Amino acid sequence: MLLLVEQLLNGLQLGVFLFLVSAGLTLIFGIMGVINLAHGSLYMIGAYTGATVTQASGSYLLGFLAAACAAGLSGVVMELLLMRRLYARDHLDQVLVTFGLIVFVNEAVTMIWGRTPLFMDIPQALSGSVEILPGVPYPVYRLAIILAGIVAAVGLWLLIARTRIGMLIRAGSTNREMVSGLGVNISRLYTLLFAAGAVLAGVAGAFAGPQVSVQVGMGESILILAFVVVVIGGIGSVRGAFVGALLVGLVDTLGRAFLHDLLGLFLPPAEAAGMGAALSSMGIYVVMALVLIVRPRGLFSVRPAS
Amino acid sequence: MSDAALLRVKGLFKSFGALMAINDLHLDVEEGELHAVIGPNGAGKSTLVRQLTGEMSADAGRILYRGRDITALAAAKRVRSGIARSYQITSIFPEYTALENVAMAVQTRLTQGAAFLRRAAGDPALESPAGELLDRVGLSAERRSPAFSLAHGQQRQLEVAMALALEPTLLLLDEPMAGMGQQESDMVVDLLSGLRGSMTILLIEHDMDAVFALADRVTVLVYGQAIATGSVEEIRNDPEVRKAYLGDEHDAA
Amino acid sequence: MRQHSLRILAYGLVLVSVLFPFIADAAESGYLVPTASRILIYALAAVSLNLLVGYVGLVSLGHAAYLGVGAYVVGILAFHADAGSTVLGIPGTVQGLLSIPAAVLLSALVALVIGALCLRTSGIFFIMITLAFGQMIFFMMVSLERYGGDDGLFMYAGPNRLGALDLSNEWTFFYVCLTLLAAFLLLCRWLIRSRFGRALGAIRQNEARMTTLGANVYRYKLAIFVIAGAGAGLAGALLANQASYVSPDMLHWTRSGELLFMVILGGSGTLVGPVLGGASFLLLEEYLPVGFGAAGLETLKEHWRIVFGPILILVMLFFRRGIYGLLTGEDRS
């Protein structure tokens, strides 16, 4: 029971974390119609910058800010130099150009930071555990991430539902041509949007720093998860990204924690462990496949039926 | 309500959000007739065609073809049952030549099983009927021209040829004369006259001269409902129709 | 390029390919033969992917999965032959005449199942779901502890025997690869020119129209998806024999991305394009670092990918027609 609560929270944390990465991705897909494989690279840039600046300055706050800025700036440069040329192109071109971008950024990071992974400690203020329920200690850091993620989600919701920019975003995700026809400076909106998505990804990267080893390739692993979230949630829908992220976070975490035990009820221990490991890593893809079969456009698709 | 009706539409409904495109539509098309459907823009004519081919599902109502309920039948299967359409916005295979386009239609009708592996180019089993159809619609000179290079009116003719290649029993023509000049329109009218009697045709059109020249019966569609059905004379003289539609047309002309 | 010069170039390339081991030997570069074999194998994989991308317009980002399945069939059968055990009741084998068809068959089967599910979607969703399934298979292979998991599986007995042929002989292996590539190209040519091929082209140009012509578009797509998967499986089986080693890395999604690159680099929509693309891609990978080293640019020699990435980007942005397009002046994209 206690384990269940702990794992539920872990799932929640992973979900909220994935939301930070996926929100930007889904908006970029939905509004600009671009598949950006290099979104994971922005996450990686955030992680590397966060880790380096924190270590150099001793301040976590500075590290986080630096991560946000570095990722945001990279995003702007990416958008101005490359993404602009891709809006009119088909998906295959976008996939391959951003693929080349991943190769470039990975190598650049290797050149700057070398091949050894960086390690980052959990900030002192956020270390240790807290008893959220009697007998259930839970790491403060994870709670902090959950909080930050929820704040970001609420903030994004307010932005999209209550502001003019939000209105443009919502309109843009269902009908791109219309928005440019309204005389809005589309180029600037796009750059802004792209930068915002980049900042979110970069911040997520900085958060991830203390939890995973910061190394080249971390971008790709998170990218795939983010894709799954976006597809499950529905392209262009931030609400979908939130629900999808939570779903993915919970399925993945609970699967890894409990699947082999569950299988152990039917199968001998060695088989259960092996199968459990296989199925839990496959788990989220199975969910994605199921969602696509039942609702081919995702759970909260904003695209009108054709 | 005739029992010889090839196509019967009963109580059809289709809405897009708050817009009721088809509103309790009843329509009968009798075998062998050329039945025209006219109506102002937005009356639901194109939506009707899409419902009939199965490209779009109905919200409520039934579509009966040869007495059989096909309301839920998939588009590809309806084609196999003999319902074919031509498109208002030309829908062809741009990179293929006119001949290849029609051959493609012939091919889908004829080919089964291992025949799929036969070489496509230069196959008389495909190109002979395709060539004949191109002649019939007046595109013989453009056989080898890639479809994208054809003029607008010629692409329409190609459309019709492709629909004919399916040897349909019910041919749905969605504004075949849209955007055509007088000469081209006349050609299409001749073509359709020639087809009369050999198959049942449902013609959606704006061009009143063509409609009155060709149709056996006419149905007037306004706001998704059939407000009148009858012979050309009956429709011409129907006061409701004049008010709703023809009157506006003449003012605009 | 004029048709005439193009023809000469084509014949020249074929001649060089057929005589390559002899040429390499004469140039004291016999070590290049395995590299050439690798190029032929990847060319085969790229040609199979191009059936989907170039001829039907289906962008699969999970094609490496079938490569991997083919490779693992060979690897697993070799493992069991070595250990004298069975897998699912089937004894192991190092006989290529059994393991290679088995690899092709299983890849085709996996493609059938995955294709049946993926082809219900289109556009971005298709790209994503093929990626997801590719990942699923990847993780499945990683979790197979018995067959090496993350570290991969060595074929201790070396490459298979193909009937009486010894595939560990570099020249024999080269000619086997060349023959299989040629055979597959001929098969593809026949398919493309058939009514089936014409239907695929029609689907690519206007899928909705094909449906209203009465064609079961889903079935066409599934059929070509399976054939493409089988081709990749064949390439995978050869790859396993080439390295005497299989690993989950072969299935990583970045491999699928690379295959897509080869297709575009060479020129999609033509049969020969992907062959050129596969060759160019692998040659770039091999010789870019070597070139930098020779020019004395040591940093670039080690970090050649920093140039490789932008090359890929520039090709996609400005040379979309690929090598074939550049040579012939045709735009088949």
Side-chain angles (χ1 to χ4, degrees):
Chain A
M1 180 60 201
L2 300 176
L3 186 62
L4 182 63
V5 172
E6 186 189 338
Q7 292 303 332
L8 276 173
L9 282 172
N10 283 351
L12 184 64
Q13 187 243 295
L14 178 59
V16 138
F17 177 79
L18 283 176
F19 171 71
L20 287 176
V21 182
S22 324
L25 197 62
T26 198
L27 285 177
I28 291 171
F29 270 17
I31 298 180
M32 291 141 48
V34 178
I35 302 184
N36 178 19
L37 293 186
H39 194 75
S41 306
L42 294 165
Y43 164 85
M44 181 180 69
I45 289 173
Y48 267 94
T49 314
T52 313
V53 170
T54 303
Q55 194 161 57
S57 71
S59 157
Y60 281 90
L61 203 56
L62 214 62
F64 274 79
L65 282 172
C69 288
L73 210 67
S74 310
V76 170
V77 170
M78 229 187 252
E79 202 272 335
L80 292 175
L81 281 182
L82 279 182
M83 295 301 162
R84 300 210 152 190
R85 300 175 199 272
L86 295 178
Y87 298 140
R89 301 272 215 137
D90 64 36
H91 296 317
L92 177 57
D93 295 16
Q94 294 169 359
V95 164
L96 292 180
V97 168
T98 51
F99 187 74
L101 192 55
I102 293 180
V103 173
F104 173 75
V105 173
N106 280 352
E107 201 60 32
V109 163
T110 312
M111 281 177 85
I112 301 175
W113 276 282
R115 295 182 199 276
T116 339
L118 295 184
F119 291 101
M120 202 173 149
D121 294 321
I122 295 181
Q124 269 286 30
L126 298 173
S127 61
S129 312
V130 135
E131 269 201 23
I132 45 157
L133 284 181
V136 186
Y138 198 69
V140 177
Y141 191 67
R142 287 183 182 255
L143 285 173
I145 293 184
I146 293 178
L147 192 66
I150 293 182
V151 166
V154 170
L156 259 177
W157 175 74
L158 281 174
L159 179 75
I160 291 185
R162 296 290 163 94
T163 66
R164 277 184 55 208
I165 287 191
M167 211 164 65
L168 285 173
I169 291 176
R170 270 181 293 139
S173 63
T174 47
N175 194 332
R176 227 172 295 145
E177 290 80 29
M178 195 54 148
V179 176
S180 62
L182 289 174
V184 172
N185 187 340
I186 280 294
S187 313
R188 217 181 299 153
L189 180 65
Y190 280 12
T191 312
L192 205 70
L193 209 55
F194 202 86
V199 165
L200 282 175
V203 167
F207 272 132
Q211 290 191 308
V212 307
S213 58
V214 177
Q215 58 187 359
V216 167
M218 67 189 293
E220 280 77 276
S221 3
I222 207 77
L223 177 75
I224 298 257
L225 292 180
F227 267 8
V228 174
V229 167
V230 168
V231 171
I232 289 179
I235 290 182
S237 165
V238 173
R239 190 187 342 169
F242 192 69
V243 172
L246 286 182
L247 190 62
V248 169
L250 286 168
V251 167
D252 195 64
T253 310
L254 294 176
R256 285 179 202 281
F258 298 117
L259 205 57
H260 73 266
D261 284 335
L262 211 68
L263 288 172
L265 296 174
F266 311 105
L267 298 170
E271 315 282 301
M275 232 192 175
L279 286 180
S280 52
S281 33
M282 284 171 37
I284 58 170
Y285 300 105
V286 173
V287 172
M288 170 167 141
L290 287 174
V291 170
L292 279 181
I293 288 168
V294 172
R295 300 233 351 180
R297 302 209 156 257
L299 295 173
F300 290 91
S301 174
V302 293
R303 292 278 174 78
S306 52
Chain B
M1 297 292 176
S2 162
D3 282 330
L6 181 68
L7 180 75
R8 304 188 73 177
V9 177
K10 291 182 166 196
L12 200 65
F13 284 87
K14 180 69 184 179
S15 53
F16 298 107
L19 175 67
M20 182 79 90
I22 306 240
N23 189 358
D24 198 17
L25 176 63
H26 294 265
L27 176 68
D28 279 354
V29 180
E30 291 184 26
E31 190 143 14
E33 72 166 342
L34 194 150
H35 192 122
V37 173
I38 62 176
N41 281 324
K45 307 196 291 290
S46 273
T47 312
L48 172 62
V49 175
R50 305 249 271 298
Q51 304 274 305
L52 293 175
T53 58
E55 286 168 274
M56 212 185 253
S57 60
D59 291 340
R62 294 208 295 157
I63 301 172
L64 296 165
Y65 179 68
R66 291 184 185 280
R68 206 175 130 217
D69 191 332
I70 61 164
T71 321
L73 194 63
K77 293 225 174 84
R78 293 193 203 192
V79 174
R80 298 232 169 250
S81 326
I83 302 178
R85 79 169 277 191
S86 77
Y87 282 72
Q88 182 188 13
I89 299 173
T90 326
S91 183
I92 51 179
F93 305 117
E95 293 165 32
Y96 286 166
T97 64
L99 189 67
E100 285 167 350
N101 265 268
V102 184
M104 191 64 239
V106 175
Q107 179 183 310
T108 41
R109 179 171 57 83
L110 289 180
T111 319
Q112 303 244 30
F116 273 109
L117 297 175
R118 270 189 230 157
R119 199 189 150 110
D123 184 351
L126 299 178
E127 301 202 342
S128 189
E132 272 172 35
L133 285 163
L134 282 177
D135 292 339
R136 204 169 170 193
V137 300
L139 278 179
S140 339
E142 303 293 344
R143 277 187 184 212
R144 309 244 168 246
S145 311
F148 71 83
S149 70
L150 296 176
H152 183 61
Q154 290 172 319
Q155 287 187 347
R156 283 315 176 60
Q157 290 166 290
L158 183 59
E159 278 272 354
V160 176
M162 283 167 75
L164 289 176
L166 299 172
E167 294 191 351
T169 23
L170 174 63
L171 183 60
L172 304 168
L173 295 171
D174 190 358
E175 303 203 29
M177 281 166 270
M180 276 192 188
Q182 189 59 44
Q183 206 178 24
E184 290 173 322
S185 291
D186 289 342
M187 275 174 63
V188 177
V189 171
D190 284 339
L191 169 62
L192 294 179
S193 300
L195 293 176
R196 272 171 90 177
S198 58
M199 63 185 71
T200 313
I201 300 177
L202 184 67
L203 174 67
I204 314 275
E205 247 313 324
H206 261 307
D207 183 336
M208 286 304 124
D209 294 330
V211 168
F212 292 147
L214 290 169
D216 295 316
R217 291 199 300 157
V218 180
T219 294
V220 183
L221 204 63
V222 178
Y223 291 134
Q225 280 192 330
I227 65 168
T229 300
S231 72
V232 167
E233 279 311 302
E234 289 168 0
I235 292 298
R236 247 178 164 156
N237 297 323
D238 185 321
E240 282 297 311
V241 172
R242 294 194 101 113
K243 191 170 69 174
Y245 183 40
L246 285 177
D248 294 333
E249 280 289 309
H250 281 167
D251 287 339
Chain C
M1 247 201 200
R2 287 178 47 227
Q3 275 289 60
H4 184 62
S5 352
L6 213 58
R7 196 146 286 196
I8 296 183
L9 181 66
Y11 286 145
L13 281 175
V14 172
L15 204 65
V16 166
S17 310
V18 171
L19 295 176
F20 186 78
F22 297 97
I23 300 173
D25 212 31
E28 312 252 315
S29 308
Y31 61 89
L32 286 178
V33 176
T35 311
S37 301
R38 238 180 115 235
I39 289 179
L40 292 173
I41 293 173
Y42 274 102
L44 175 60
V47 170
S48 74
L49 179 58
N50 195 30
L51 288 175
L52 298 176
V53 175
Y55 289 99
V56 195
L58 291 168
V59 178
S60 168
L61 201 49
H63 206 60
Y66 311 108
L67 211 72
V69 167
Y72 264 87
V73 167
V74 169
I76 290 177
L77 286 175
F79 172 86
H80 283 283
D82 206 36
S85 50
T86 66
V87 51
L88 300 177
I90 305 171
T93 177
V94 284
Q95 173 52 257
L97 289 178
L98 290 173
S99 65
I100 295 181
V104 173
L105 216 67
L106 197 63
S107 318
L109 206 67
V110 172
L112 181 65
V113 172
I114 293 182
L117 295 167
C118 292
L119 290 168
R120 291 173 184 279
T121 64
S122 59
I124 288 191
F125 299 95
F126 179 75
I127 300 179
M128 307 274 230
I129 198 174
T130 50
L131 174 60
F133 274 106
Q135 283 299 92
M136 264 198 250
I137 310 273
F138 170 76
F139 282 119
M140 214 173 0
M141 297 313 188
V142 166
S143 72
L144 292 175
E145 290 296 329
R146 195 170 184 206
Y147 302 122
D150 230 350
D151 297 322
L153 188 65
F154 281 96
M155 289 163 60
Y156 291 108
N160 295 157
R161 294 195 70 80
L162 192 67
L165 297 173
D166 177 16
L167 293 182
S168 56
N169 179 315
E170 290 175 355
W171 284 42
T172 313
F173 187 66
F174 174 84
Y175 282 109
V176 166
C177 291
L178 189 61
T179 314
L180 287 172
L181 176 63
F184 192 71
L185 280 170
L186 285 173
L187 174 71
C188 290
R189 192 159 173 260
W190 180 38
L191 280 175
I192 295 304
R193 289 186 179 191
S194 72
R195 293 189 186 185
F196 177 64
R198 186 175 272 184
L200 290 177
I203 290 173
R204 178 179 49 83
Q205 292 172 60
N206 193 339
E207 188 174 322
R209 193 62 170 119
M210 271 304 269
T211 312
T212 51
L213 283 181
N216 187 337
V217 170
Y218 176 77
R219 260 190 233 159
Y220 282 98
K221 288 182 177 178
L222 189 56
I224 198 69
F225 196 84
V226 170
I227 295 172
L234 179 60
L238 290 174
L239 205 57
N241 276 297
Q242 210 252 339
S244 295
Y245 170 67
V246 301
S247 98
D249 269 343
M250 290 172 168
L251 299 120
H252 196 246
W253 70 276
T254 44
R255 289 284 106 73
S256 296
E258 288 170 6
L259 284 175
L260 277 178
F261 241 116
M262 294 181 200
V263 166
I264 300 300
L265 187 59
S268 65
T270 73
L271 279 177
V272 173
V275 175
L276 298 174
S280 318
F281 190 89
L282 287 174
L283 288 173
L284 264 179
E285 257 193 348
E286 289 270 335
Y287 292 109
L288 210 55
V290 169
F292 285 134
L297 301 159
E298 283 306 314
T299 332
L300 281 181
K301 178 180 178 184
E302 197 199 329
H303 296 286
W304 57 277
R305 286 198 174 84
I306 202 127
V307 175
F308 193 52
I311 289 181
L312 299 180
I313 295 176
L314 289 173
V315 167
M316 278 313 299
L317 286 179
F318 302 116
F319 296 104
R320 190 61 178 69
R321 297 173 311 166
I323 298 175
Y324 186 84
L326 275 176
L327 288 177
T328 60
E330 279 170 44
D331 189 349
R332 302 282 210 109
S333 64

